[in-house]
Amino acid sequence: MMIASLFALLSSPALLQRPTVDQVLDNVRSAVGYSAIEPFESGIEMTGSALFMGTDANFRFVFTPDGKYLFEMDGPIRATQAWDGERGWELDVTGSPMPVYFSDVEYQHATSWVIGHRWLAPDGPYDITMIEEDSDSYTLNLKPKAGRMSVKVEVDRESWLPKASSYMDGDIMHLIELSQWETTRGFKLPHRIDVTFSSGKGWISVEHVRPTPDGATSLFEMPAWLLTDDTTYDEANEGVVETMRAESGHVLVRPTIMGEDVGWFILDTGGGGMVVGKKLVERLGAEEFGSWFAIAEGGTLPLTFTKFDDFSLGPATVAELTFAVLDLSPVSLALGIELGGIVGYDFFRRTVLEIDVEESMIAFFDPRSYELKKGNWNDLLLLSHHPTTPAKFEGAHEGVFMIDTGAPYGLVFSWRVVKELNLLEGRETLDGEIHGLGGAVPAKFGFVEYFEIDGYRFEDQLAIMLVSNRSAYASEYLTGLIGIPLLMPFTVVFDYANSRIAFVRKEG
């Protein structure tokens, strides 16, 4: 009886009709007219309108069959992402170009290669398996052949058109829903794209699809950027600026906006952009626009945006910068200091920063003429606009660590690394948590045998080991974070404009 039942189960229509992955892919290629795209070597251009970070924008997406792409949003908040076939780059909200690395470029691929059908190429960048199916769709897992971040694509069982793609950024899902497929020159593209990323939502409406002109490959090349485009430098004002050290260890600086003193700002290389407090925005009568969210230590925070002219600190004055607007009252209360904002990536991108956190010494210089007097330059690789450095730690392990001058914690290991390396096994730890703008993240506190930065070794180093991926350190590429205490032996020199960093050891 059991054998007969098993035979009947194996012979059921549902199992006999289940297609293989190759059959699904062939059906999707046929449904979208994939072969009709291949002749357009110079690319296909999609244009239209969009809702981007709560603002109206013009949308443009250019892609080639071999995977090059340019993805643009042009509005009050601008963004450009591109892949030239070998490397990824972006233009940030201020229009400055920068190569992108690690998961940042894989996030770009996850969107652009699905919309532009690169994922369907027989020689494409993904290994593809079937992971789920239901009455309406098949779900495929796209694992990059060179990378770490998998993408899920949901395919409609009747039309064989992709319905959605998604990937995880830590514990946050990025969902792209594809609809309103229309045929142009023999192939189909989605004309409605809905995006959900945590609490942030947006959409794209495609209005025109056309071939790009022959020889338009320069579209995909990262443009040169002159530092003088939007920033002026006062050579007489180069060097050390006024600072204050908070009890938490944070180093504070005092910039001006439109010539007006705007109070103390945290100097934070862990800041992926510029931040201004709501109280200061109200005081200056600035207009807020858009809506999005920030990924912080303990989760996400809602934010809006504003713009200010003539932001000055040290020798540099930037003509216009976009700021995220956040309620900084909880941070001000914790520090016992009224904060005006946070100085982050967009300003560092335009200066050379020397920082000695032990002495609370900050100096800014013109990156066009700066010369390193001691030490050696290392490559500066950015992850979501945050500087990173390779480091070694017990067990001959190596990893990539974010350098965060706004973090009072010395060494933090990400939840992923704690789990993958079993860092808690056999180690004496104490329960605790770390706190940030988004709240608290549970952690274990213990000691690692050693930790080494640029040849400098810390023995028996206290470490914080996160036990939740609900934080800003959840990237697949990030091993952890280096904060203020581990930067004490160095004067750290950040030269974002020239993609380099130096750890200059102090005497004694």
Side-chain angles (χ1 to χ4, degrees):
M1 192 64 156
M2 290 179 61
I3 294 176
S5 299
L6 180 60
F7 180 79
L9 176 64
L10 293 174
S11 303
S12 68
L15 288 179
L16 289 176
Q17 294 173 8
R18 185 179 192 271
T20 65
V21 171
D22 287 341
Q23 288 171 331
V24 171
L25 292 174
D26 283 343
N27 287 336
V28 176
R29 292 183 188 113
S30 178
V32 302
Y34 176 77
S35 61
I37 299 176
E38 294 178 330
F40 294 95
E41 296 181 359
S42 292
I44 301 295
E45 180 182 65
M46 304 167 66
T47 57
S49 56
L51 179 69
F52 180 62
M53 293 189 174
T55 66
D56 294 331
N58 293 318
F59 160 77
R60 182 189 186 207
F61 177 49
V62 186
F63 66 92
T64 63
D66 63 356
K68 300 182 185 72
Y69 57 77
L70 177 77
F71 194 106
E72 292 181 326
M73 290 291 186
D74 185 10
I77 303 171
R78 294 176 295 166
T80 299
Q81 299 177 338
W83 174 255
D84 66 7
E86 296 182 357
R87 67 172 179 173
W89 56 272
E90 68 169 13
L91 299 181
D92 63 18
V93 293
T94 60
S96 63
M98 198 73 173
V100 294
Y101 306 96
F102 307 123
S103 53
D104 291 346
V105 72
E106 292 186 40
Y107 293 155
Q108 294 184 183
H109 293 338
T111 300
S112 297
W113 280 349
V114 170
I115 296 174
H117 300 321
R118 174 60 179 161
W119 72 283
L120 292 169
D123 62 344
Y126 294 108
D127 291 320
I128 303 176
T129 56
M130 185 102 70
I131 56 172
E132 296 174 16
E133 62 175 305
D134 56 34
S135 59
D136 297 322
S137 61
Y138 298 104
T139 301
L140 305 175
N141 185 66
L142 281 55
K143 186 179 186 304
K145 294 176 181 177
R148 301 183 183 182
M149 192 190 73
S150 293
V151 184
K152 292 182 180 180
V153 174
E154 188 178 344
V155 175
D156 184 81
R157 292 179 68 147
E158 292 188 7
S159 67
W160 295 105
L161 294 172
K163 294 167 58 177
S165 71
S166 62
Y167 63 84
M168 299 300 295
D169 181 9
D171 64 342
I172 301 172
M173 175 181 284
H174 190 140
L175 173 65
I176 302 169
E177 297 172 282
L178 309 172
S179 60
Q180 297 181 16
W181 290 80
E182 296 183 18
T183 302
T184 301
R185 299 177 183 265
F187 56 85
K188 289 184 177 179
L189 291 169
H191 280 54
R192 173 76 183 197
I193 302 166
D194 289 277
V195 179
T196 303
F197 190 31
S198 184
S199 57
K201 293 183 181 294
W203 52 260
I204 294 168
S205 178
V206 178
E207 297 159 9
H208 302 285
V209 177
R210 60 179 69 89
T212 54
D214 292 340
T217 53
S218 60
L219 283 172
F220 311 109
E221 298 173 3
M222 188 173 78
W225 180 52
L226 298 176
L227 291 167
T228 53
D229 281 353
D230 64 359
T231 307
T232 56
Y233 301 89
D234 177 4
E235 293 183 5
N237 199 26
E238 279 194 329
V240 177
V241 300
E242 179 186 6
T243 63
M244 181 170 66
R245 182 79 170 271
E247 291 184 4
S248 62
H250 293 91
V251 178
L252 310 180
V253 292
R254 206 169 183 101
T256 63
I257 293 177
M258 295 177 290
E260 183 173 345
D261 185 339
V262 288
W264 294 106
F265 277 51
I266 294 176
L267 189 86
D268 186 6
T269 58
M274 304 293 286
V275 176
V276 64
K278 272 190 169 294
K279 290 184 179 179
L280 182 56
V281 170
E282 293 169 359
R283 186 186 115 194
L284 296 177
E287 179 183 351
E288 296 180 48
F289 58 91
S291 62
W292 200 238
F293 64 94
I295 301 176
E297 285 87 343
T300 61
L301 292 171
L303 58 81
T304 56
F305 299 92
T306 194
K307 291 185 179 182
F308 287 118
D309 296 335
D310 297 334
F311 178 91
S312 297
L313 181 59
T317 298
V318 186
E320 180 185 86
L321 285 174
T322 299
F323 291 74
V325 182
L326 288 171
D327 180 8
L328 296 178
S329 298
V331 185
S332 296
L333 184 63
L335 297 183
I337 300 165
E338 186 65 36
L339 285 179
I342 299 171
V343 180
Y345 166 82
D346 296 313
F347 186 77
F348 301 144
R349 179 76 177 90
R350 293 157 167 79
T351 63
V352 171
L353 162 65
E354 288 186 359
I355 178 168
D356 180 341
V357 294
E358 185 177 35
E359 301 296 332
S360 301
M361 187 281 294
I362 303 293
F364 291 101
F365 302 90
D366 184 340
R368 297 170 300 177
S369 57
Y370 181 83
E371 294 183 6
L372 186 68
K373 298 179 177 62
K374 291 176 56 179
N376 300 298
W377 288 116
N378 299 297
D379 290 337
L380 173 63
L381 304 183
L382 296 178
L383 175 59
S384 299
H385 296 174
H386 304 123
T388 69
T389 188
K392 302 176 182 179
F393 54 99
E394 69 172 24
H397 294 300
E398 297 186 14
V400 174
F401 290 80
M402 180 193 303
I403 307 165
D404 190 348
T405 60
Y409 318 108
L411 175 62
V412 180
F413 286 100
S414 73
W415 171 80
R416 177 187 62 82
V417 171
V418 170
K419 189 172 61 170
E420 289 181 0
L421 299 183
N422 296 316
L423 291 183
L424 300 179
E425 186 175 344
R427 194 184 308 275
E428 292 186 11
T429 60
L430 294 174
D431 292 337
E433 56 187 20
I434 64 172
H435 295 263
L437 281 172
V441 181
K444 301 283 188 179
F445 288 67
F447 287 86
V448 294
E449 180 184 346
Y450 71 87
F451 185 79
E452 186 176 309
I453 310 170
D454 196 32
Y456 187 98
R457 180 170 288 207
F458 300 84
E459 304 287 352
D460 295 321
Q461 175 60 44
L462 177 65
I464 300 170
M465 302 170 200
L466 300 182
V467 293
S468 168
N469 68 339
R470 184 174 48 86
S471 82
Y473 320 129
S475 166
E476 286 289 320
Y477 284 87
L478 196 63
T479 308
L481 171 144
I482 300 168
I484 291 170
L486 264 66
L487 300 177
M488 295 288 190
F490 310 102
T491 296
V492 187
V493 185
F494 298 88
D495 186 356
Y496 285 60
N498 295 298
S499 299
R500 56 189 184 177
I501 186 172
F503 295 87
V504 180
R505 300 183 195 179
K506 293 187 289 187
E507 299 297 332

